[in-house]
Amino acid sequence: MSIVVTGATGHLGRFVIEGLLEKVPADQITAVVRSEEKAAGFAARGVKIAVADYNTPETFDGLFSAGDKALLISGNEFDKGRVGQHKVVLDAAKAAGVALFAYTSAPGTLTAALADDHKGTEAAIVESGVPYVLLRNGWYNENYTEQLAPVLEHGAVVQAAGEGKVASAARADYAAAAVAVLTGEGHENKTYELSGDTAWSFAEYAAEVAKQSGKEIVYNPVSVEVFTGILTGAGLPEPLAAILAGVDASIEQGQLAVTSGDLSRLTGRPTTPIAESIAAALKA
């Protein structure tokens, strides 16, 4: 039996592999990657490496075995039909007879276009008949703290979220939840709404960055249209900019402020406060 993780060298995947290495022998972990080179560190520690690509279905032939547990970390190629990509992995896992198929999805409350691919993938998973776990990951602290350079440069947090709040957590928290599900028992056919313990507003976020950096930082709320323009001006493709701005509209409506407690229950610890992630980002 192997625990198979796709996207294993991505931001979230690396945390998942590290977490698994603390719980199970390395030779029971298979890291699915597109670049063997990027996975060299894991290979040196005894993790099995499988090179496969969502866009090349045959690369998944024989990758899974009966009784495996699989974690499909959702792809980030928004322009390549993610539901189809995800079904490549699902079909291979089903054909092999995996014992559990976990998927990193989006919050059930989210109506933004970003959620469409996740809903399509969830439907395919449920219809497939494989024992599944839906890990509906909320927003990551790092979605914001990794973008601190322009905030510090311009002295402003600019979003199109009004007074909406975000119940975010650190990537490491979501990874720990995935590890708990993959190494634990009794999670078959469950859906977990994962989010941080505390929701915060962008005004509070700006104030925390100001406090920790010693700089004057204000929150500058703008319209969805203006925010889309800012993102495209920063080099993002227009379709992706529109998707991200759409998430802000959902935040304003309270769709990412839900604090279910599922994440801290699965990990057995409180989620990482946004202030802690800000501190880590400023040190880096």
Side-chain angles (χ1 to χ4, degrees), residues 174-252:
Y174 294 105
V179 169
V181 162
L182 293 167
T183 58
E185 300 296 332
H187 299 288
E188 291 82 0
N189 304 331
K190 297 271 180 73
T191 299
Y192 295 110
E193 294 287 349
L194 305 177
S195 61
D197 295 333
T198 308
W200 48 267
S201 70
F202 286 100
E204 291 168 332
Y205 176 72
E208 186 62 36
V209 175
K211 179 177 146 190
Q212 293 198 31
S213 67
K215 297 189 174 186
E216 191 174 327
I217 310 286
V218 298
Y219 171 44
N220 180 14
V222 296
S223 68
V224 167
E225 292 73 25
V226 168
F227 192 51
T228 305
I230 290 169
L231 294 174
T232 53
L236 286 187
E238 197 157 330
L240 179 57
I243 285 172
L244 294 178
V247 170
D248 267 25
S250 292
I251 290 171
E252 185 167 22

Side-chain angles (χ1 to χ4, degrees), residues 6 9 16 29 42 47 53 62 67 87 91 96 98 110 167 185 192 194 213 271 277:
T6 72
T9 54
V16 173
I29 306 166
F42 290 143
V47 174
D53 190 318
K87 283 179 82 170
D91 291 347
V98 299
L110 187 64
E185 300 296 332
Y192 295 110
L194 305 177
S213 67
T271 61
S277 293

Side-chain angles (χ1 to χ4, degrees), residues 20 140-141 206 212 260:
L20 288 172
Y140 301 157
N141 289 349
Q212 293 198 31
S260 69

Side-chain angles (χ1 to χ4, degrees), residues 66-150:
D68 283 353
K69 291 182 177 179
L71 173 65
L72 169 57
I73 293 180
S74 56
N76 58 6
E77 294 178 314
F78 295 95
D79 57 338
K80 291 194 177 170
R82 289 197 297 168
V83 178
Q85 289 181 328
H86 295 158
K87 283 179 82 170
V88 165
V89 185
L90 174 63
D91 291 347
K94 181 184 177 179
V98 299
L100 190 70
F101 190 89
Y103 172 65
T104 62
S105 192
T109 49
L110 187 64
T111 61
L114 179 76
D116 293 348
D117 289 346
H118 292 296
K119 286 173 182 167
T121 302
E122 284 191 9
I125 291 168
V126 173
E127 285 164 19
S128 75
V130 300
Y132 66 85
V133 181
L134 300 179
L135 299 168
R136 289 180 170 168
N137 286 1
W139 235 218
Y140 301 157
N141 289 349
E142 291 88 348
N143 289 353
Y144 302 105
T145 59
E146 286 176 355
Q147 314 299 326
L148 274 182

